Amino acid sequence: MGDSADSGRSGTSRGADASGAVQSVDRAVRVLEILARDGEAGVTEIARELGVHTSTASRLIRALADHDLVDRPGGNGRARLGIGLLRLAGATAAQLDLSTQAQQVCDDLAAELGETVNVAILSGGVALNICQAQGSSTVSTQNWVGQRTVLHATSSGKVLLAYLDAGERNTLLRRSLERFTRHTLTSARAIRTALKAVRESGWAQSIEEYEEGLNAIAAPIRTHDGTVIAAISIAGPAYRLGAEQLPDLATAVIAAAEQVSHRMGYSPAAPRANS
């Protein structure tokens, strides 16, 4: 009986300890989120937001500082994110593979819209397609994975161009721009106007510019620091993807791009490196 009672009390104690540890971890994470949002905060401000005593908030900050996750510059009592987070972020970023993170999103978008979905990155001045999901429609586009396409005549290419550093963009637009159809934009001035619209709307379109009868729309995928690293697009025959339908479809494509961006560590609250 004594052993049984002691065992029961011990189990209760362990359960309480575990619950307290989880609560501490939750509060520590919330401290990091507060500092990520505000940039810097005092112990009193953090305690108030967490709903805890200042001594509890101080212990949390001290524990995070011991691991370089929080920094208290100048000893003024205020805290900010520490360099230890860069170490963790670097380790995580190294393990994130864009095509792996994007494939499920591509599959879901293709199933939702019934059209072919691609993800492309910038490579050597062209768009390189690295990921694809076929649509369910009876007539679908070819397999583009591993293929390179021009920037100025494709929706993905326009996204990649739009968010490039201005110097790099100007260098690419100084090249001779090939005409593929009667709709292809070959004037650098016309393309710059189109790219400005891409940055304003958050998506790009290609209306029979690369192939006759083929329309496409694309949106940017961002990495953890806001840099645009890729574009996700849907493409299909013009009789299914009419020009008048593209703005409505763009909502789904933008949402898919945001999903992949989130998987790559991007937070909308973060500053955008090349917006």
Side-chain angles (χ1 to χ4, degrees):
M1 289 268 311
D3 289 345
S4 177
D6 289 344
S7 176
R9 284 193 295 271
S10 177
T12 301
S13 175
R14 284 195 296 270
D17 290 345
S19 177
V22 170
Q23 185 180 54
S24 295
V25 171
D26 179 68
R27 286 172 173 171
V29 171
R30 289 178 62 194
V31 170
L32 297 176
E33 290 175 340
I34 291 168
L35 296 179
R37 183 193 66 204
D38 297 343
E40 190 175 279
V43 174
T44 302
E45 300 165 57
I46 292 172
R48 185 184 305 117
E49 185 155 347
L50 293 181
V52 300
H53 194 274
T54 54
S55 62
T56 300
S58 183
R59 283 197 298 272
L60 288 168
I61 292 169
R62 189 162 54 249
L64 290 167
D66 287 344
H67 295 280
D68 294 326
L69 300 178
V70 163
D71 183 28
R72 304 180 79 173
N76 60 5
R78 298 185 67 77
R80 67 186 182 190
L81 295 180
I83 59 172
L85 287 170
L86 294 177
R87 182 181 67 250
L88 297 177
T92 302
Q95 297 175 41
L96 289 175
D97 176 71
L98 176 58
S99 60
T100 299
Q101 299 300 321
Q103 187 62 61
Q104 185 59 57
V105 177
C106 288
D107 292 342
D108 292 344
L109 186 61
E112 177 186 351
L113 301 181
E115 303 295 348
T116 299
V117 178
N118 280 283
V119 170
I121 61 172
L122 185 66
S123 175
V126 296
L128 172 64
N129 294 279
I130 63 168
C131 180
Q132 179 170 300
Q134 289 284 358
S136 57
S137 302
T138 53
V139 179
S140 58
T141 55
Q142 69 188 75
N143 183 1
W144 292 96
V145 175
Q147 296 196 37
R148 289 172 165 78
T149 55
V150 298
L151 300 177
H152 67 284
T154 62
S155 61
S156 291
K158 288 177 185 176
V159 165
L160 296 171
L161 268 176
Y163 294 97
L164 261 183
D165 171 84
E168 294 179 74
R169 182 166 57 246
N170 290 334
T171 297
L172 291 172
L173 291 180
R174 288 191 195 103
R175 300 176 179 178
S176 176
L177 303 175
E178 184 178 354
R179 180 178 295 280
F180 297 93
T181 75
R182 60 192 175 92
H183 302 286
T184 306
L185 300 179
T186 57
S187 159
R189 176 177 295 181
I191 292 172
R192 285 194 177 93
T193 299
L195 299 182
K196 182 174 182 291
V198 172
R199 291 189 292 272
E200 291 173 350
S201 66
W203 62 281
Q205 65 181 20
S206 174
I207 302 178
E208 300 189 71
E209 296 174 46
Y210 192 59
E211 288 185 13
E212 292 284 356
L214 179 68
N215 289 348
I217 53 179
I221 294 172
R222 298 177 184 271
T223 190
H224 65 93
D225 65 354
T227 302
V228 173
I229 56 168
I232 185 169
S233 66
I234 63 165
Y239 67 83
R240 280 204 314 263
L241 291 186
E244 68 285 351
Q245 298 172 278
L246 300 188
D248 289 336
L249 293 171
T251 301
V253 177
I254 290 171
E258 290 174 348
Q259 286 184 54
V260 181
S261 297
H262 178 72
R263 289 175 177 230
M264 296 302 295
Y266 175 67
S267 169
R272 295 185 175 185
N274 51 6
S275 56

